[in-house]
Structure formats: C-alpha cells, structure tokens
Amino acid sequence: MASADLRDELKCPICLNLYMEPATLMCGHNFCLDCIGTALNTQECSGIYSCPECREQYMERPMLLKNRNLSKIVAWFRTAYKEVLCTYCDSPVPASKTCLLCEASFCGKHLSYHRKSVDHILTEPTTSFGESKCSTHKETLNYYCSEDNARICMSCWAAGDHKGHQVEPLNEASEKKKEKLRKCTNTLDSERQEIQSRIQNLDKYWREEDKKIFAVTRSYTDLFIEITEQLNEVEKGFLQEIRRQKKQISDSVSDLNRQLNQKLNQLSRKIRHIKKLCDSQDPLTVLKMPPNGDDISPGIGDTIGNPKCVDEEMISDILQRELCNLTQNLKDVMKTRQFLVMEKSNIFLDINTAHYQLFISKDQKRATHADICMDKPDSPQRFNCSQVLSVQRFTSGTHYWEVDVSEAEEWLIGVASESMERKIVGNVSLLGYNNKSWSLSQTASRLHVRHGDSPIYIDTKYLLKTIGIYLEYEAGCLSFYQLCGPIRHLHTFTTTFTEPLHAAFHLFPQSSIRIKT
C-alpha cells in the first residue's frame, strides 16, 4: 500500500491526524483516546452515547480499550516516513508547515500565531534546514540570483559573490518560475491535442487502407474463381504480396501508434509534474526545475514518419507478369485481364440509322426507346425495327468497347455487316437473326448468343449490367464478356469477316443503353 493511502487509514476520524494513543469502541472503530473521550463527554447530558463513525448507540458510557497493535503501526509509520511534528505542541501533533527562518514547524493551531513576513518563508514540513542555510554566512537563503540561478542569503547579495547581480526574494522568483511553467503547460496541452488528433487520423487512415486491401484482394480473387489449378501458384504469389503489404502497413501503423502514444504519455507525465510544481507551496521544490525548462520544451517529434500505403501498381504488375507466363489454355482469361487496361474504342451512335422511336443523346453515347415516333427523315440506312448502328466502321485491327445495359431488362447487342437488311418486316432484320449479324441477348431473363437460326443459351447467376465486346477482325473473332460480378468470358464467335462491321444495338420498349467511355 502507498504511504499516502496508509496515512489515510491511520488518521483519526475526529481530528484527522495520525492516531495518538488509539482506542477502540465495541463497534470496532478507532479514535484518539483524547478525541473519543471529549466526544463522549459532550454526550453525557443526553444520557445516550454513540459512535461518531457509525452512530451505534450505547445506553451506558462505553469502555475504551487501547488498541496496542494499531499504536505500534502508527509508531512505525512515524519513524519510517519521518513525520514532522509541531515544535510547540506538548503532545506529538503533525506539523502542517515549516518556517525556514525560525527553523520550527507548526501545526494548524500554532501556525495562526506565526509571523507573516517576507523573511519568514513557509515550506512543506521538514526537519532538514541544511539546504536552507548559506554555507559561507550561515544565514537563511531567502533570495534568488537569476544571473547565477542560485539561492543566496542577504550577505551574499550585499557583499558577497552576488553583489550587484539581479536578485529577488525567493517567493517572487518562485512565482515567476510558476508563470513560465504555466505557459509551458498551455503549449504542451496544445501539442497533446495535436498528437491525439494525429492518432485519430492514423486510425481512420488504417481503416481506409484496410478497406482498400480488402477491395484489391477481392477484385483479383474473383479472377481466380474462373481459373483452374494452373493459377494456384499465381494466386499464392499474389496473396503473399497482399499479406506482405498488409503486414507492412499494419506494422508501420502500429509503430507510429506506439511512438505517438509514447510521446503522449511523456507529455502527460510532464504536464502532471508541472501542475504539481505549480500547486506546490515549496519554492525550493519549484526552483529545482531546470531554469531554462530544457527538459520540458515542446517538440512533437518531427522524426516520426508517415505510414506505408497499399502499392496497387506493384500488385497489378506482379499479377500481369505471372498471367503472361501461363499457357495458351488461359488465353480468354488473359484477354479479360487485358480489357481492364485496354483503351476503349470511341464508339458513337449513328442517328441516321436509328429507328423512329429511338432517341439518341446529344453526345451520341446513349439510346432510349421512346413511346412515340419522332420526326426523322426516311433514308435507306434507317432501320424499320428499333435498332441503331455505330458511326464507326471496322475493317481491320482489334477493337474493344463496353455497353451499360443496367437500364434495360431486355436487349440485343453485337455487330452487324454494313449490308445487313434494314427494311424487311419481321425477325429476319433483327440483330443476330440473320447471317449478316452476331448478337448477345437477354430476353425473358435468359441469356443467349445468336448468328442465324439457332440460339445458344448461356447459364449465368447474374442479371447482366455491363457487357464487354472484343473484336479481332483479321482473326475472325467476336467475344462477349460479363463485367458485372466476377469477370467472365461468355462466348466467342469464330468466322471470316468479309465486309465492314458496325457495333449494333436493339432496344425494347421503356429501356435505355449507354456506350461507356
């Protein structure tokens, strides 16, 4: 038990001083013998006696039993902790103050009779006066030389080594030092708040980075769902890099947290120490603080760096390199991966081919099926069914574009030859229903591809929102990819293209499609 806690346990509840000849009542509570005796005397008139602590009543004056064990503990405490007693009390009474000039200690009662003068310096109770006497003149060190940062006596100032120096009374010097310490406390308080704010921001930063790590992990892990055992080693290397970066970020954040919390604890201890000094009435204790406050000067610690962050570029590069080393069996997955970084072809919708009920946006990127026919001039290029082609003609090379179909429950998209029939009424002019066009369609919540008479149905767990279309003209390949949910290859048409091709779109009532840029 700490000395302060033990002292509280050894105090008389009546006089609040250490027990003097402790006596015990029948209820078990202890008091100074004189204190409880006085209390019982005041109760004689009523004829009922009670314990001042628990109010237990006695019909007769209780017998007071000396508590010898407690008396021994109090005596040991006085010796162990060198309790200073009042110089003027006949019986031992703890002193509350000591006068350095008088070299005497006073309890609360005798302190009221003590002279209140500048020369009489009161400190916390002490029995050591050696430090308060000048070793040369044997006088009390009542003054403070600010030039030499030393306590001096009157003779040192008047005719000694400190003659002509800037000197002030000890109490005044102490108050000035306290004022400087208070200003320093304000600075440290501000610094502490700044560190606390940095810790909060650091925690927020870590949560955001953790989300990024999860998002990056998930986006690439979705690819591995579509790849067989050939990608196990690639996945292992990728996840190993993710874990390495996550641990690196976690370690850096933890290290910064540790450094900042360590700095915060240091500042808190310094502030508590300074506040304690400021509350102290002992100028000697206050002046022991370094004069320039070097050990309490603020400084948030500029050497504390910033945390690591996710290196998505490195992760992407590692995965790209490993994918490029896979066999030809992973060609479709390779293409899918390339689409994420491939430059999209700049596709515009051709207003001159759009059906009368198709509204084309000003930027020629969106087509919407309207409820009414719009006033458009008839031309050989215009469809009699709700379809539209792209302005661009594909006669060579590779091309890639994406279509947002999230605002259409049913649709047909694909490519069409420039000579595709546009005026015949019926299905023969629909996209994919002839040998001049190739389409992917979603109708009645079913997905299928078509070129001519027979559709090929495709199983999918998702209602498609975004479609990727990849055209290799010379190779005669047209591929469709699902870009919502896990990236997935849906189908590839293989043929020989002999005519210029256009991107083609068929819309159903109350639907809209958009070419993504």
Side-chain angles (χ1 to χ4, degrees):
M1 183 182 292
S3 60
D5 295 334
L6 181 57
R7 176 184 289 274
D8 291 338
E9 294 295 327
L10 299 179
K11 284 183 179 180
C12 171
I14 297 177
C15 67
L16 302 180
N17 293 320
L18 293 180
Y19 288 117
M20 301 296 300
E21 298 183 79
T24 305
L25 294 180
M26 296 297 294
C27 59
H29 290 108
N30 298 291
F31 306 91
C32 295
L33 184 61
D34 290 343
C35 292
I36 188 59
T38 303
L40 294 176
N41 290 337
T42 60
Q43 298 174 0
E44 285 185 351
C45 296
S46 63
I48 298 177
Y49 301 92
S50 62
C51 171
E53 187 77 1
C54 65
R55 301 303 177 186
E56 182 174 344
Q57 295 185 348
Y58 305 95
M59 301 307 296
E60 296 182 1
R61 185 182 179 110
M63 180 181 298
L64 299 178
L65 304 175
K66 289 186 177 181
N67 191 331
R68 300 186 184 279
N69 289 334
L70 183 58
S71 181
K72 292 178 181 179
I73 294 174
V74 173
W76 169 84
F77 183 85
R78 292 183 190 278
T79 303
Y81 290 95
K82 298 179 180 179
E83 183 179 35
V84 180
L85 302 176
C86 178
T87 306
Y88 298 99
C89 287
D90 295 333
S91 58
V93 176
S96 59
K97 293 292 179 183
T98 295
C99 177
L100 299 180
L101 182 64
C102 302
E103 296 188 7
S105 299
F106 304 89
C107 63
K109 176 181 177 182
H110 290 101
L111 184 62
S112 61
Y113 300 110
H114 180 259
R115 291 185 61 189
K116 297 178 176 60
S117 171
V118 176
D119 295 332
H120 292 261
I121 300 176
L122 297 176
T123 67
E124 296 301 315
T126 181
T127 56
S128 176
F129 298 100
E131 294 183 358
S132 63
K133 292 288 187 179
C134 176
S135 60
T136 303
H137 305 103
K138 307 303 180 184
E139 297 179 12
T140 305
L141 301 174
N142 290 341
Y143 299 92
Y144 181 75
C145 176
S146 57
E147 294 184 21
D148 296 329
N149 300 316
R151 295 165 53 201
I152 62 174
C153 67
M154 176 60 78
S155 297
C156 291
W157 182 17
D161 296 337
H162 301 273
K163 183 177 180 180
H165 289 186
Q166 184 68 34
V167 174
E168 54 190 339
L170 205 59
N171 286 334
E172 293 182 10
S174 176
E175 289 302 319
K176 289 182 179 180
K177 183 63 175 290
K178 286 181 180 180
E179 184 62 28
K180 291 181 180 179
L181 292 175
R182 291 188 186 98
K183 291 180 180 179
C184 183
T185 300
N186 294 334
T187 303
L188 294 177
D189 276 332
S190 176
E191 183 178 349
R192 179 173 62 176
Q193 293 174 5
E194 183 178 348
I195 289 181
Q196 289 172 336
S197 176
R198 283 190 63 181
I199 292 175
Q200 293 174 355
N201 292 336
L202 196 60
D203 291 339
K204 181 180 178 181
Y205 174 87
W206 163 239
R207 289 193 298 270
E208 292 175 352
E209 287 298 310
D210 194 39
K211 289 179 181 178
K212 290 180 183 179
I213 292 170
F214 176 79
V216 171
T217 304
R218 180 177 178 180
S219 66
Y220 288 108
T221 303
D222 285 342
L223 287 177
F224 297 130
I225 298 175
E226 305 300 321
I227 300 175
T228 62
E229 295 180 356
Q230 297 180 60
L231 278 176
N232 286 341
E233 292 301 319
V234 178
E235 182 180 12
K236 184 186 299 184
F238 164 77
L239 293 177
Q240 183 177 359
E241 174 61 21
I242 285 288
R243 288 192 294 269
R244 185 192 70 78
Q245 290 200 27
K246 183 173 182 178
K247 184 177 185 304
Q248 188 179 50
I249 296 171
S250 177
D251 290 344
S252 68
V253 170
S254 298
D255 186 56
L256 286 175
N257 255 320
R258 178 186 60 76
Q259 295 182 47
L260 290 172
N261 277 293
Q262 185 179 20
K263 181 67 176 177
L264 184 64
N265 291 335
Q266 292 174 355
L267 291 173
S268 298
R269 288 195 298 270
K270 289 179 181 180
I271 291 171
R272 288 195 299 269
H273 180 61
I274 291 172
K275 288 183 177 180
K276 184 177 180 182
L277 287 175
C278 292
D279 293 337
S280 174
Q281 300 300 318
D282 183 6
L284 305 180
T285 303
V286 175
L287 293 172
K288 285 181 180 179
M289 196 71 175
N292 296 326
D294 292 336
D295 65 332
I296 58 175
S297 58
I300 194 168
D302 295 332
T303 58
I304 299 178
N306 295 317
K308 303 288 185 181
C309 62
V310 179
D311 190 350
E312 295 186 45
E313 184 176 355
M314 176 182 290
I315 295 170
S316 180
D317 289 342
I318 290 175
L319 188 59
Q320 289 282 5
R321 184 176 63 252
E322 293 298 327
L323 286 174
C324 289
N325 293 330
L326 294 179
T327 63
Q328 187 64 27
N329 294 334
L330 298 178
K331 181 179 179 181
D332 285 336
V333 178
M334 286 288 294
K335 290 180 180 179
T336 303
R337 181 62 186 152
Q338 290 170 0
F339 291 156
L340 299 180
V341 294
M342 179 182 293
E343 182 179 354
K344 298 183 181 70
S345 300
N346 199 9
I347 304 295
F348 294 97
L349 298 174
D350 187 354
I351 299 176
N352 294 324
T353 65
H355 180 254
Y356 300 101
Q357 285 184 285
L358 294 186
F359 172 76
I360 308 302
S361 63
K362 187 176 181 180
D363 63 358
Q364 295 178 260
K365 293 291 185 180
R366 178 185 289 274
T368 304
H369 193 291
D371 293 333
I372 59 174
C373 291
M374 284 166 279
D375 186 15
K376 297 179 180 179
D378 191 15
S379 67
Q381 295 83 17
R382 194 175 306 283
F383 280 98
N384 277 350
C385 58
S386 55
Q387 294 181 162
V388 61
L389 299 181
S390 67
V391 174
Q392 287 71 24
R393 301 167 74 246
F394 307 126
T395 58
S396 63
T398 59
H399 308 273
Y400 173 71
W401 63 96
E402 295 178 359
V403 184
D404 181 352
V405 293
S406 60
E407 298 180 51
E409 292 185 2
E410 296 184 326
W411 41 263
L412 285 79
I413 60 175
V415 299
S417 298
E418 202 164 58
S419 63
M420 176 184 173
E421 181 57 53
R422 311 185 189 194
K423 299 298 184 180
I424 297 178
V425 178
N427 290 345
V428 69
S429 62
L430 294 182
L431 186 61
Y433 284 73
N434 50 72
N435 61 3
K436 295 286 187 176
S437 61
W438 298 260
S439 72
L440 170 71
S441 67
Q442 181 174 279
T443 57
S445 300
R446 296 192 69 183
L447 194 67
H448 66 273
V449 293
R450 190 163 189 154
H451 173 62
D453 295 332
S454 301
I456 300 174
Y457 289 93
I458 301 172
D459 293 330
T460 180
K461 300 178 181 178
Y462 299 91
L463 187 65
L464 302 191
K465 301 295 184 182
T466 305
I467 305 300
I469 303 171
Y470 183 56
L471 173 64
E472 295 176 285
Y473 191 91
E474 285 83 1
C477 292
L478 175 67
S479 300
F480 296 93
Y481 294 88
Q482 167 185 297
L483 301 183
C484 54
I487 298 174
R488 178 187 175 195
H489 170 251
L490 297 174
H491 185 77
T492 295
F493 289 106
T494 302
T495 185
T496 300
F497 299 122
T498 59
E499 296 183 47
L501 302 177
H502 294 262
F505 311 88
H506 180 99
L507 280 77
F508 289 84
Q510 298 180 340
S511 64
S512 178
I513 60 95
R514 179 176 62 87
I515 300 172
K516 301 183 69 174
T517 56

